[in-house]
Amino acid sequence: MKENGTNNGSDETALGSVAGAHGQKPALQVTCLGSSGGPCEENVTGFLVHSVARGWDRRSVLAVDAGSHLAAIVRILERDFPKVSGGEAGLNGNGHVTSNGGVRPSPSPSPSGDDEPIPPEPTVLASGPFTGMRLPHASARANAMHILKTYIATYLITHPHLDHVSGFAINSAAFKETNLPKTLAALPSTVNAIKQHIFNDIIWPNLTDEDGGVGFVTFQRLKEGGDAMIGEGEGRGYIDVVDGLGVRSFKVSHGTCTKSPPSHQHRGSIPSIQDGHSALHGEQSQQMARSMSTSQHPQHSAPGTPGALSRQSLYSGQISPRLSATDTSCVVDSTAFFIRDGETQREVLIFGDVEPDTISTFPRNYVVWQEAARKIASGVLTGIFIECSYDDTQSDPYLFGHLCPRHLIAELQVLAGMVVEARAARALERSVRKRKRSGHNGVESAAKHAVHDSLNDRKRSRSLAGRSAHRDLRRSSVPDHSLAHTTDTTSPKTEHSNPMDQHHLHSGPMSPRSTTAHFPVHHTHARNSVPSMGAHDALPALQGVKIVIIHVKDTMKDGPQVSESILADLLDHEARLRDNGAPLGCEFVISQSGESYTF
């Protein structure tokens, strides 16, 4: 549910009256402070997450990335803070500046005749992302500082690029007003990069509590995959970062560096520079390792992009089959965070910058999708925030570690296939339990039914894939080697193809390509397309899941916004999947600064 200032009442009553996932009351609220990936600096990546059930407790709000932060909170309050009387922003009759288009009354003088005025009565916001919050001050900027000081406790950082941390660094000068230091939580490689390259008394003063700093910021170094010693059941491995919210962190790839080891070693992805071993072992990690090592999606990195050293799988000692032994590049690490509400056990998934597995030298999205599929199948994960920086006119060599619609759809198809499998496994488990209670041969009978159903589903899926391949050409996920309009006949072919067709591009309102140049296509066969809906499923695999698009890069040119083209591309791809009988079923939303989303 998107919310931008129409709810009235307290936090719990207002948000609780809005239907969340599957008609449930909302459990988590995510507020977008910055939706862009640049180049304009006022609206770059930043979010606030809080548990609706817990309300606005002190130190209960989690910031996820902070490219834009305090200034964005001021803008939201300027929009949503109550207006006592009309009038334009500016100087009122008493010479006081109003920053939200209305006039707030001046503080009354003290009855005792002292110079210090009586503070105004607290205001409880009745609309907007901060509905139900008590704000003690008369201006938007003073109340924004109150929110930063009182409610925001932890900054969860996906990676140390400036468009994700610049607001945090600049705003850190205000942390001196708080009673406790602010926590920066991230994987160790991100913490080390921020310590070494920002809080180093050169780029910015050392305001941390390490290496002789002043102590405004403290660090929480997260374990990749979670901490196996914490929690139990489905909550095992989640590390609390604020009261009521736990996190599990997974590395993802964000392109490659221009420099190569050994002259440039700062990433945990390099075998000799470990970021800490995965803390989750046992059956779950073994399954992840098998999935990574036996993946049926052999792909290649983009042309002109250096390869990578033979790297170990995140969860085992096996070498990823997609990597060449001669690769020598340094992978840029980013992070995907599963954020869990302690009250309801519901979750959202927020990605940092990420590239598609199909062209990555170190593909790792597959592991995140495995974890997400189980949660979608069980109904606890209904929101995914993921970047889509460019529209489909951007060719692969110029994605620079980012996604575009054709690759995002392909990634979601992989997820959808895993959701189908996870739902089948859950159905089998329920059937086994039911039959076990009903009689002696219940388990054997359930197993036979499961095998039979699985074989039938696979036959139907293969038949569907065959018909789709004959109906239209498949969109290749291999990089375009030329940006010219002419066809490149010397381009090498790859064994894997993107599930989306790139050749037949519909003209019309759904496709921005009706006015853009077409790029050469490498015709391939879809050997490994993943159906998004099993034959036995009544609904598409991702029905009920909201995909919130973040990190859109503005072209700063006349004409349609890039976000409009991205959404048109996504809807076009989904329509064509629906025509082929395999829709994803998810809802696509383009994020906007100042909007909030409940799950």
Side-chain angles (χ1 to χ4, degrees):
M1 177 68 188
K2 181 170 69 175
E3 197 269 348
N4 63 356
T6 58
N7 291 330
N8 295 315
S10 67
D11 180 45
E12 276 193 77
T13 56
L15 292 178
S17 65
V18 180
H22 309 298
Q24 299 172 306
K25 288 185 177 181
L28 289 161
Q29 180 192 36
V30 182
T31 299
C32 178
L33 300 181
S35 61
S36 170
C40 194
E41 74 279 6
E42 69 173 0
N43 181 34
V44 288
T45 307
F47 302 93
L48 298 178
V49 183
H50 97 284
S51 168
V52 175
R54 296 183 69 91
W56 296 112
D57 292 343
R58 294 176 65 90
R59 299 181 61 81
S60 64
V61 177
L62 172 67
V64 181
D65 283 339
S68 293
H69 192 60
L70 184 57
I73 298 174
V74 172
R75 286 198 301 269
I76 291 173
L77 292 181
E78 287 176 341
R79 181 193 70 194
D80 296 333
F81 203 57
K83 298 178 177 65
V84 174
S85 63
E88 298 297 328
L91 293 178
N92 63 19
N94 295 323
H96 294 286
V97 177
T98 60
S99 60
N100 57 359
V103 180
R104 294 285 293 174
S106 300
S108 302
S110 171
S112 63
D114 297 336
D115 292 336
E116 191 166 330
I118 298 175
E121 287 293 323
T123 301
V124 178
L125 290 185
S127 64
F130 303 113
T131 296
M133 180 181 286
R134 291 173 61 87
L135 298 177
H137 301 293
S139 68
R141 65 186 187 280
N143 283 314
M145 180 60 72
H146 173 74
I147 291 173
L148 183 145
K149 291 163 52 177
T150 306
Y151 296 106
I152 301 172
T154 300
Y155 293 79
L156 190 65
I157 304 299
T158 60
H159 64 296
H161 285 174
L162 283 177
D163 57 327
H164 297 256
V165 299
S166 57
F168 172 79
I170 294 172
N171 298 162
S172 63
F175 296 167
K176 63 182 175 60
E177 305 290 339
T178 61
N179 296 326
L180 292 170
K182 300 298 185 185
T183 299
L184 187 150
L187 291 173
S189 59
T190 299
V191 170
N192 294 340
I194 291 172
K195 275 187 59 179
Q196 181 180 355
H197 300 292
I198 295 179
F199 293 110
N200 58 6
D201 284 326
I202 300 173
I203 301 299
W204 199 249
N206 182 9
L207 303 182
T208 76
D209 60 359
E210 298 184 7
D211 303 328
V214 299
F216 295 170
V217 176
T218 190
F219 294 114
Q220 182 178 6
R221 292 167 174 83
L222 303 175
K223 291 185 178 180
E224 185 181 0
D227 191 333
M229 303 302 293
I230 296 177
E232 58 185 4
E234 284 297 315
R236 186 177 183 85
Y238 283 80
I239 302 169
D240 283 352
V241 286
V242 297
D243 290 343
L245 295 179
V247 167
R248 284 184 64 195
S249 314
F250 291 83
K251 280 185 181 178
V252 292
S253 297
H254 177 28
T256 55
C257 298
T258 56
K259 297 181 181 179
S260 299
S263 63
H264 183 62
Q265 295 183 343
H266 68 277
R267 302 294 183 190
S269 301
I270 302 175
S272 60
I273 310 292
Q274 291 297 323
D275 209 22
H277 299 288
S278 170
L280 294 182
H281 299 286
E283 182 177 354
Q284 182 184 16
S285 59
Q286 291 172 6
Q287 291 173 351
M288 290 181 179
R290 285 195 296 270
S291 298
M292 289 295 289
S293 63
T294 61
S295 169
Q296 298 180 2
H297 299 275
Q299 293 118 3
H300 306 282
S301 59
T305 302
L309 286 173
S310 287
R311 297 184 178 84
Q312 300 296 313
S313 171
L314 290 175
Y315 297 96
S316 76
Q318 298 173 341
I319 297 176
S320 172
R322 308 181 196 181
L323 305 177
S324 166
T326 61
D327 290 339
T328 59
S329 69
C330 178
V331 174
V332 178
D333 288 333
S334 184
T335 316
F337 293 117
F338 287 94
I339 303 174
R340 180 182 179 88
D341 174 39
E343 296 286 333
T344 63
Q345 289 72 57
R346 301 237 289 277
E347 302 188 23
V348 293
L349 170 60
I350 301 181
F351 279 83
D353 294 357
V354 61
E355 66 184 352
D357 272 356
T358 52
I359 61 173
S360 176
T361 60
F362 194 9
R364 295 182 278 190
N365 299 339
Y366 196 86
V367 178
V368 180
W369 295 140
Q370 281 184 308
E371 188 69 19
R374 294 191 307 104
K375 299 175 185 299
I376 292 173
S378 64
V380 301
L381 175 64
T382 57
I384 299 174
F385 289 72
I386 188 166
E387 71 131 279
C388 193
S389 296
Y390 306 102
D391 64 21
D392 272 340
T393 61
Q394 194 84 356
S395 60
D396 288 356
Y398 297 96
L399 288 175
F400 304 112
H402 295 289
L403 289 172
C404 62
R406 63 181 179 273
H407 286 298
L408 176 55
I409 291 291
E411 292 287 338
L412 292 176
Q413 285 189 285
V414 173
L415 171 62
M418 293 179 179
V419 171
V420 171
E421 294 175 0
R423 285 177 178 160
R426 287 174 60 83
L428 173 60
E429 184 180 352
R430 289 194 298 267
S431 178
V432 167
R433 286 199 302 264
K434 181 177 179 181
R435 293 172 189 269
K436 189 174 183 179
R437 290 193 299 266
S438 64
H440 176 71
N441 295 324
V443 175
E444 181 179 354
S445 176
K448 288 181 179 179
H449 279 83
V451 171
H452 179 72
D453 292 344
S454 177
L455 289 174
N456 285 339
D457 285 348
R458 292 189 181 202
K459 289 178 181 178
R460 293 188 188 101
S461 298
R462 283 198 298 269
S463 176
L464 176 62
R467 290 197 301 271
S468 299
H470 280 84
R471 256 200 309 266
D472 68 350
L473 297 173
R474 313 297 287 181
R475 168 170 295 155
S476 172
S477 65
V478 297
D480 298 321
H481 290 261
S482 172
L483 291 180
H485 187 65
T486 57
T487 302
D488 181 1
T489 58
T490 62
S491 302
K493 295 183 180 180
T494 180
E495 295 180 350
H496 177 75
S497 65
N498 189 307
M500 302 310 303
D501 180 319
Q502 194 175 0
H503 187 67
H504 299 297
L505 301 174
H506 302 295
S507 297
M510 294 296 293
S511 175
R513 292 180 192 78
S514 57
T515 59
T516 58
H518 296 275
F519 298 109
V521 177
H522 311 296
H523 303 294
T524 61
H525 299 288
R527 293 177 47 192
N528 301 308
S529 60
V530 182
S532 65
M533 181 172 62
H536 63 278
D537 286 337
L539 294 173
L542 301 185
Q543 184 80 33
V545 178
K546 181 179 295 184
I547 308 296
V548 182
I549 304 302
I550 62 177
H551 203 270
V552 174
K553 289 185 175 290
D554 194 349
T555 61
M556 308 296 289
K557 297 179 180 178
D558 292 335
Q561 295 286 330
V562 178
S563 58
E564 297 174 10
S565 299
I566 289 173
L567 183 59
D569 285 346
L570 291 170
L571 294 178
D572 186 40
H573 293 320
E574 173 69 353
R576 294 175 60 240
L577 287 174
R578 190 181 303 113
D579 291 343
N580 289 337
L584 296 170
C586 55
E587 175 189 1
F588 293 104
V589 177
I590 303 294
S591 62
Q592 292 186 25
S593 178
E595 288 187 346
S596 64
Y597 312 89
T598 53
F599 304 92

